[in-house]
Amino acid sequence: MTQPLVAIRSVSKNFGEFQALKQVSLDVYPGEVLCLIGASGSGKTTLLRCINQLISIDSGGIWVDGELLGLRERDGRLHRLTSREIARQRLKTGMVFQRFNLFPHKTALENITEGPVQVQGRNGNEARAEAMELLRRVGLEAKADAYPSQLSGGQQQRVAIARALAMKPMLMLFDEPTSALDPELVGEVLSVMKGLARSGMTMLVVTHELGFAREVADRVVYMDHGAIVESGRTADVLGAPREARTQAFLSAVI
């Protein structure tokens, strides 16, 4: 069996008295598209942010590509990594947020080249050529010199996807990437994501778009109150869920 690209083991996270994640364990395999579904506040976004080390976990462990995130064992004890070491680990993942988080004073092309040039130290001309190819890939080659304020929400989100891909991640994390979009713009972003899935990119997607999950996801995980309630093949979880909580959620949203 292929080793998981992401291995999550007994992860818990509290925010004061609120238990956001409760002993969550999950594997994501190379080339797999896994969709996380559940009501707001169920822990889906928190889990993604833990994988990307935007927040630290309280217990358990997360491994990406065999490397324990945030910690290193030395002399039989675990030591927290420095911010620089965490930034290096974070390069393995690309994250696309609900809000596009583009630099408003930079063009689409400049937004995409910023990371490769400033963070990875890559050649500027090569980074621009790759950025133009990514813009072609997301259907926005003609918008290379446009600023975010000149782009629709769907276009901004497609630039954000291209920006994440420019760092050459092995894993893409999507946190409800269409939730901030007007309904008529959702399709263009989902189309780009479907293309990514077909290309073999490993993707972990928090989404309310069950149609997208049905079409693209290899597996679906339903979360509720910080815990995984049900997981399995997409057709099984969405078509014939075993758990009463999953059934109630799906009947409410379909």
Side-chain angles (χ1 to χ4, degrees):
M1 163 103 44
T2 304
Q3 291 296 310
L5 179 61
V6 183
I8 301 167
R9 296 291 179 268
S10 302
V11 166
S12 293
K13 176 64 183 178
N14 298 327
F15 295 103
E17 296 292 313
F18 177 65
Q19 198 169 7
L21 294 175
K22 305 171 185 176
Q23 295 286 307
V24 171
S25 294
L26 182 66
D27 288 332
V28 184
Y29 290 91
E32 184 175 40
V33 179
L34 191 151
C35 283
L36 295 172
I37 65 171
S40 297
S42 59
K44 310 180 303 295
T45 291
T46 299
L47 184 58
L48 250 60
R49 293 175 74 86
C50 288
I51 296 170
N52 208 34
Q53 299 192 76
L54 295 173
I55 55 178
S56 59
I57 63 177
D58 293 328
S59 62
I62 301 175
W63 288 258
V64 173
D65 193 31
E67 184 178 13
L68 178 62
L69 299 184
L71 299 166
R72 176 181 290 118
E73 185 174 350
R74 189 170 63 240
D75 302 326
R77 298 181 61 186
L78 289 174
H79 299 266
R80 192 160 296 281
L81 298 182
T82 66
S83 57
R84 186 170 183 173
E85 290 171 320
I86 288 173
R88 175 191 59 78
Q89 287 188 333
R90 195 177 286 133
L91 292 176
K92 293 182 178 181
T93 63
M95 188 157 180
V96 177
F97 300 87
Q98 296 178 36
R99 298 289 172 179
F100 325 119
N101 293 350
L102 299 177
F103 295 116
H105 60 290
K106 293 182 179 293
T107 65
L109 184 67
E110 290 167 342
N111 265 280
I112 297 169
T113 57
E114 178 78 9
V117 173
Q118 299 300 325
V119 177
Q120 295 179 327
R122 283 157 54 190
N123 177 274
N125 290 331
E126 290 179 7
R128 281 187 289 275
E130 290 181 9
M132 286 302 300
E133 179 56 38
L134 286 169
L135 283 170
R136 274 191 287 274
R137 188 172 176 181
V138 300
L140 290 174
E141 181 182 10
K143 298 291 187 179
D145 296 324
Y147 290 90
S149 62
Q150 299 171 311
L151 301 173
S152 71
Q155 290 171 334
Q156 289 184 63
Q157 192 63 296
R158 285 188 278 159
V159 172
I161 293 172
R163 179 179 61 179
L165 291 173
M167 304 298 282
K168 301 185 184 299
M170 56 179 58
L171 168 71
M172 284 288 287
L173 306 172
F174 292 88
D175 182 15
E176 298 189 30
T178 61
S179 66
L181 300 178
D182 293 330
E184 66 270 20
L185 302 177
V186 168
E188 64 190 56
V189 174
L190 293 182
S191 177
V192 170
M193 293 173 65
K194 290 172 186 176
L196 274 182
R198 287 192 296 269
S199 75
M201 173 63 73
T202 309
M203 298 165 60
L204 186 53
V205 184
V206 171
T207 185
H208 291 299
E209 300 286 344
L210 297 187
F212 170 81
R214 281 194 185 87
E215 185 176 346
V216 176
D218 298 294
R219 284 190 296 143
V220 168
V221 171
Y222 170 63
M223 295 185 67
D224 188 31
H225 290 90
I228 292 177
V229 174
E230 186 165 355
S231 67
R233 294 188 314 126
T234 302
D236 295 334
V237 175
L238 297 185
R242 301 183 307 273
E243 301 293 331
R245 279 189 286 172
T246 315
Q247 295 167 9
F249 171 77
L250 291 174
S251 66
V253 298
I254 293 177

